[in-house]
Amino acid sequence: MRRASRHFSPFSSRGRRTLLAIVLTFAISSTLSVAVSIWATSRSKHQAAVIQVAARQRTLAERYVQEVLLLQSGKRADPAKTAAILRESALALLDGGPVPSVDGDDDETTIVGQTDPRVRAELRQQLNLVTDLTEAGAAYLRGQTLPNSELTADERVEVKDPVQRLRILAALTSNVSLNAARSIAARADRQIVDLVRLQIALGVGGLLMSLAFAFAIMTATRRQTAHFRSLVTASTDLVLVFGQDGCRYASRSVSRALEQEEPELLGNGFAQFVHPDDRAALADACLNGRPTELLFRIQDPFGAWRQLEAHVTDLRDDKHVAGVVLNARDVSERVRLEEELTRQAFHDGLTGLPNRALFRDRLDQALARSQRSGEPLAVLLLDLDGFKQVNDSLGHDAGDQLLAEVARRLAAVVRPSDTVARLGGDEFAVLLEESDDSASVSLGGRLLERLEDTITVGGHELAVGGSMGIALHAGGAGAGEELLRDADVAMYAAKEAGNGGYELFQPDMARQFGELLGLKQELRLGLDRNEFLLHYQPEIALGTATIVGVEALLRWNSPTRGLTPPLRFIPLAEASGLIVKLGEFVLREACAQTARWRADRLLPEPFVTWVNVSGKQIATGQLHTVVQRALVDAGLPAEYLGLEITETALIEEGPSRERARFQLEALHELGVRIAIDDFGTGFSSLGQLRDFPLDMIKVDRSFVHGVERSDKEAAITANLVSLAHALGVVAIAEGIESEEQLASMRALGCDLAQGFLFAHPLTASELEVVLENPSAAFALTVPQGSPT
Ligand code: C2E
Ligand code: CA
Ligand code: CA
């Protein structure tokens, strides 16, 4: 008996409105017809009274004669009263008005006058005859044979006998009254016939109107239904109606999408195509009409899962539908795109691992779980050793391959429930849930071991190691940020301790390495407060033993740290981008100082002040403009300035290399000298260097020292010098500390030399002393008073 169990057919035409219209039409026509009937009946009631009065005239006329005769023979009678009734009745019949009553016969009534001309003529004749009759009667009673007056009615009464005459006049009055009554009755009959006709017309009209209405409404409904049907069936939206007993209607689009006939989908049919994980939520929504939006999957005929987004409308209280309506759309493409975007937002494009944001999120969730369960967890932070060299020397592609391989190895070692993420650069993180210290440490060890296996990248066999910091969370409440920072500190400690190891975070580490976090801020402040200065280390021409230039070396006179050497802060300045501003300071200061020496005529000819330039400064693409401005502002000719660029900063492949070449060429054209620093450490080939405008190659200190160690190393160093000469540029040996080293480098054909053997880096004023007395200064001995 449940209405809900009926099969719902939304396209059956609706008859209710039609019915309503028909009933309404009938009601109107019936009301009209009843009103007409009432009106007509009341009229015919009046006509009946009129006919009765007209008929009564006949009797009254005869009674009048009788009463006259009775009175004449001395009996009791009142013909005058009858005469008055006769006359008043005749007048009322003609123009309407009250009709007096006749004793013992009837009551006084009021009648309406007649309008029909024929009837009126007859009634007027009746009135005249009544007048003639009553005057004749009155004359007879007075004893006259004939009345004084002429007859009013146009009757010809020849008889002289008054009684005879009276009788004839009464007969005439009777006759006329009868005729008038007949005429009135005939007219009433005619009116009844008209009324019947009117009622028939009204009935037929009402019926026709109802039919017309019904037809119009049915047509409109059918058109509307057809419109909806085409909308619903042509639309790609899937429409489903669910009741207590499952699916009660499935639109044609559902049948098409699933390649199933509608009956197959009714009841529990549709649910079989829904993803098992989504069935409960769908069933719930179909029973309760909530939530109003729902996402679920169905399996298409090819076995693929399609994502449907459904709008749920609860029409259980609507007695036409009595169910929950689902309006669903296939949003698979959109969902796929969203998932892809989310994946991109939370994953590292190169390795496919979660990125820092996702790692943080997972860490927070894991900490929340740990708070509930009390289970420990661990964060492992891994930084690759020597990655920068691979990237710089073998190119970005090789670096990328290396990172991808490292990612694969890390992911292969951990459990599927653990999270491996790439936090950036060559830094990876691992989140281990339900893992205590011994489990975490043993896994950390395995990860590092696995890393050390050689990796083949671009034909090169590489062995990368890493330094790992491990921070443990014993269970309970905790903050993700803190745990990551602890792991970071432990990783610094591992790096300090040496390559390829791990350190477990200890609270006292924080004090030791936490200062690194403050260093960046101090550097920034130091730049604002002018805490930086330059030292200058002379460069000697081996042929003439004269000074031909200086290398400007940065120093930080920190109020808290004292005079700090560059290796303590340059890596951090490079990592944080502060090197760009710091480098600009060095350029401006070096140019200004050189211009002052030149103005003081302290400089020999030629003389070059060499400034170290970081790869990061080149990467900005603005190096040539910054240098040009520094030269112009100092008023220094470009030939007095040289730039030292490390080999590794130059040989990166791709657009950055092109950009570097463009800037250096622009500067070289101005007259600025270009040197390659730390030459020999970047494994660059002749071909790679030929593209660049070069004036000098600086053989790295390690090769200068290597000359003394073995013949093999000496051969490499010799090679580097000949490479410089092959390129047609000057070769300089840096870091010369001993006479032996000097002799070797000289033997190898080096043009210039620099090192503690000649001079430590000097302050500007110390250097001025050297410049003022160049011949005395380079007795090839170590000068005193140098700070380093
Ligand atoms: P570098 O460019 O190789 O500079 C030469 C370094 O070797 C200087 O160290 C210098 O004091 C040191 N040195 C000179 N002669 C000898 C020697 O005979 N024996 C030994 N053992 N060392 C010698 P410093 O001043 O500590 O600079 C270290 C590094 O910091 C520089 O290496 C350079 O890479 C970087 N650096 C210095 N100043 C700047 C700068 O203004 N900008 C940039 N980007 N880097 C700079
Ligand atoms: Ca240098
Ligand atoms: Ca160097």
Coordinates of all heavy atoms in Angstrom, one line a residue, residues 677-678 700 734, ligand 3:
D677 N 88.4 30.7 -11.9 CA 89.0 30.4 -10.5 C 88.9 28.9 -10.2 O 88.1 28.2 -10.8 CB 88.1 31.2 -9.5 CG 88.9 31.5 -8.2 OD1 90.1 31.0 -8.1 OD2 88.3 32.1 -7.3
D678 N 89.7 28.5 -9.3 CA 89.7 27.1 -8.9 C 89.8 26.2 -10.0 O 89.1 25.1 -10.1 CB 88.5 26.8 -8.0 CG 88.4 27.7 -6.8 OD1 89.4 28.3 -6.4 OD2 87.3 27.8 -6.2
D700 N 94.0 25.8 -9.4 CA 93.5 25.6 -8.0 C 94.7 25.2 -7.1 O 95.6 24.5 -7.5 CB 92.4 24.6 -7.9 CG 91.8 24.6 -6.6 OD1 91.1 25.6 -6.2 OD2 91.9 23.6 -5.8
E734 N 97.8 29.7 -7.6 CA 97.4 30.3 -6.4 C 97.8 29.4 -5.2 O 98.1 28.2 -5.4 CB 95.8 30.5 -6.3 CG 95.0 29.3 -6.3 CD 93.5 29.5 -6.1 OE1 93.1 30.7 -6.0 OE2 92.8 28.5 -5.9
Ligands
CA3 CA 90.8 30.0 -5.8

